[in-house]
Amino acid sequence: MYWESYSHAKMKKIIFGSLKENLDYRDKPVLGLPASYLDTEVFYHDAPFLKDAPYLSALIANPNHIGCHTLTDSEAAFKGTHKIERELIELCAQQIFGGGNDHFDGYVASGGTEANIQGMWVLKNYFINECNAKDEEIALVYSEDAHYSMPKGASLLGLKKVTVSVDHDTRRILKESVLDEISKAQKDGIKHFIVIMNMSTTMFGSVDDIKEITHWLDVLKIDYRVHVDGAYGGYIYPFVAENDDYTFKNEKIVSFSLDGHKMLQSPYGTGIYLVRKGLIHHALTEEANYVKGKDYTLIGSRSGANAIAVWMIMRTYGSEGWTNKIKALLKKSDRLCDALDEREIEYFRNPKMNIITIKGDYISQSLAQKYLLVPESHDGVAKWYKIVVMEHVTQGVIDRFLMDLDSELETK
Ligand SMILES: *Cc1c(COP(=O)(O)O)cnc(C)c1O
């Protein structure tokens, strides 16, 4: 994994250069596009600070990144910033997910939800187009700890839901449950399976054992394809992983999603969908005639500034800087876990993730409220509360939390 860190001056040059290659609504006689720069009463383009603010300048220039730019010619009006999005997709696929020199397709989606649904959509149509599958023969398989975008996507796409159980202490997917649920689905006429693997769940930071699980599926000889939900873990886990299981070197994986707007702290609207070449055409909307290059994405119009924001953060740190940042967060998480161990408090943590999920018995409601700990469910009594060790979670806040926890434990 390697990408270079750029200076602010270099990024400024690249971004302003790309904006210059885009259509400027002020320079050209634009009569046909139903779009313009942002409203000038509110977003005046001659604000003096803009010349040092490439992201805000891009936001105000308002390039539309509709469509997919890794595949076909797209709208020439915004070809400058499309290039930055293309570089971003390649950086993620080749460097974060070990894609080497291969090329990939992808785009900046509205979030992890959309990227996951795009992943399911591509695979659903793949089974229909390539395997003559009927809609009712395709199911979506995911664990009970998976994100709610899975049932949401299944509902939208008319996929049968196959939910498998996890062990409640280790959060590992249970083999018996996989075998049972798949066999039940087969009896219901399911012949093709879209399998979601979590490269970290939202609540526990648990990472599904993809090698073990795909081995079970291979033994069953079922027809399946894997999409990885890296919305939460995508900017964390690959930077400390010790093997290639969650990379494009693993032939089982078709596509990934990852969210810039979680760990990377980019603005909302920065989900990323990545897929091996030769598949995204299954999400082509042939009727998207007014879009140059047609549309292979779920979303339609979207802001080009989002791609620039993610690219800028990745380029500011470089791969080494980002890896060091993640390692520091994991160290801070280790220290909190040590403190919980000393107090014999039960929790779940994947050592490669920054989520610590504490059993509900140890946490009072008032403590949870004071520190905004998130319960696994807002209905009934919480079985678990999670702490996410982000940048704003300073050692001082952790210490205060532990002191409060101690005084509660004493009075118990
Ligand atoms: C946050 C998250 C999502 C959904 O992402 P949005 O950006 O909120 O749409 C999907 N999967 C996981 C594991 C997540 O943590």
Side-chain angles (χ1 to χ4, degrees):
M1 179 189 310
Y2 180 76
W3 72 86
E4 195 185 331
S5 153
Y6 287 173
S7 67
H8 186 69
K10 180 159 181 180
M11 289 192 287
K12 227 166 70 175
K13 202 165 150 220
I14 294 172
I15 293 164
F16 282 119
S18 75
L19 287 173
K20 251 200 204 100
E21 276 182 70
N22 279 6
L23 162 93
D24 186 333
Y25 295 104
R26 288 182 178 84
D27 288 351
K28 288 252 172 67
V30 184
L31 296 181
L33 293 182
S36 194
Y37 39 73
L38 290 187
D39 183 276
T40 49
E41 281 300 308
V42 179
F43 304 100
Y44 42 102
H45 67 277
D46 55 353
F49 63 87
L50 284 178
K51 68 177 193 330
D52 270 319
Y55 166 72
L56 289 177
S57 296
L59 195 71
I60 286 172
N62 203 25
N64 190 350
H65 278 206
I66 192 168
C68 172
H69 315 305
T70 55
L71 195 64
T72 48
D73 276 352
S74 28
E75 186 50 63
F78 307 112
K79 65 177 194 299
T81 49
H82 288 171
K83 242 189 336 208
I84 294 187
E85 177 165 327
R86 257 199 312 278
E87 184 185 310
L88 170 66
I89 296 298
E90 298 260 286
L91 276 183
C92 294
Q94 296 177 335
Q95 301 306 325
I96 300 180
F97 293 112
N101 293 325
D102 290 351
H103 294 287
F104 296 85
D105 289 312
Y107 72 98
V108 179
S110 56
T113 297
E114 184 193 327
N116 284 339
I117 296 172
Q118 171 87 11
M120 300 170 205
W121 187 31
V122 164
L123 287 176
K124 177 189 173 182
N125 286 342
Y126 162 82
F127 284 130
I128 290 173
N129 298 334
E130 307 274 327
C131 313
N132 276 321
K134 297 197 192 82
D135 283 27
E136 63 275 16
E137 292 173 340
I138 308 169
L140 183 72
V141 185
Y142 54 92
S143 89
E144 62 175 305
D145 281 348
H147 187 260
Y148 72 87
S149 47
M150 308 319 159
K152 186 186 270 186
S155 163
L156 282 165
L157 293 166
L159 299 168
K160 185 184 161 58
K161 293 181 279 188
V162 174
T163 316
V164 297
S165 315
V166 301
D167 177 281
H168 283 177
D169 288 318
T170 63
R171 312 316 295 185
R172 284 175 76 85
I173 290 181
L174 294 167
K175 185 175 184 186
E176 311 88 82
S177 174
V178 171
L179 301 187
D180 271 9
E181 296 301 326
I182 299 251
S183 147
K184 264 193 249 161
Q186 284 175 314
K187 279 185 198 120
D188 289 346
I190 300 296
K191 298 201 175 101
H192 312 276
F193 296 86
I194 300 167
V195 175
I196 304 293
M197 289 280 100
N198 296 298
M199 192 182 61
S200 167
T201 58
T202 317
M203 186 62 205
F204 293 93
S206 51
V207 174
D208 293 333
D209 191 334
I210 186 170
K211 264 237 167 101
E212 176 179 77
I213 296 161
T214 52
H215 176 68
W216 301 337
L217 301 177
D218 290 341
V219 171
L220 289 174
K221 293 199 163 58
I222 61 167
D223 187 24
Y224 73 96
R225 294 290 180 278
V226 177
H227 169 77
V228 175
D229 181 4
Y232 184 78
Y235 278 105
I236 306 170
Y237 186 82
F239 296 86
V240 287
E242 276 152 16
N243 57 48
D244 292 335
D245 293 1
Y246 276 103
T247 68
F248 278 117
K249 292 193 185 106
N250 181 346
E251 294 293 331
K252 305 277 177 197
I253 296 173
V254 170
S255 53
F256 282 93
S257 41
L258 73 163
D259 259 354
H261 58 224
K262 291 210 172 130
M263 203 60 224
L264 201 74
Q265 295 171 256
S266 60
Y268 290 113
T270 49
I272 297 176
Y273 171 70
L274 306 168
V275 61
R276 289 184 191 278
K277 276 281 175 197
L279 283 153
I280 204 169
H281 67 275
H282 293 297
L284 166 65
T285 302
E286 198 59 67
E287 295 86 345
N289 287 321
Y290 75 81
V291 184
K292 174 109 194 293
K294 305 227 163 151
D295 193 2
Y296 297 80
T297 71
L298 188 50
I299 186 169
S301 293
R302 57 193 175 87
S303 170
N306 287 331
I308 289 174
V310 179
W311 180 89
M312 280 183 75
I313 299 173
M314 287 179 65
R315 279 296 183 198
T316 297
Y317 284 87
S319 50
E320 280 173 33
W322 189 255
T323 306
N324 289 337
K325 176 166 167 159
I326 294 303
K327 285 185 176 160
L329 280 173
L330 295 186
K331 252 195 177 156
K332 209 179 340 175
S333 311
D334 293 345
R335 182 166 165 185
L336 174 51
C337 286
D338 289 342
L340 295 175
D341 288 339
E342 273 171 32
R343 291 161 176 80
E344 295 183 355
I345 289 171
E346 294 169 278
Y347 61 89
F348 176 88
R349 172 167 178 232
N350 177 334
K352 304 232 176 297
M353 296 295 303
N354 62 338
I355 296 179
I356 296 159
T357 310
I358 301 173
K359 286 209 170 156
D361 308 341
Y362 299 93
I363 305 284
S364 71
Q365 272 204 9
S366 63
L367 194 65
Q369 269 166 16
K370 180 169 175 187
Y371 290 97
L372 280 93
L373 305 184
V374 172
E376 102 283 8
S377 163
H378 289 277
D379 311 324
V381 182
K383 290 197 196 78
W384 297 90
Y385 283 106
K386 75 166 166 180
I387 293 176
V388 185
V389 181
M390 300 284 287
E391 184 148 307
H392 61 266
V393 180
T394 59
Q395 195 56 48
V397 178
I398 294 176
D399 289 353
R400 282 210 310 272
F401 165 75
L402 288 169
M403 280 164 65
D404 286 349
L405 187 61
D406 282 341
S407 55
E408 279 195 355
L409 292 174
E410 267 169 35
T411 55
K412 251 188 199 172

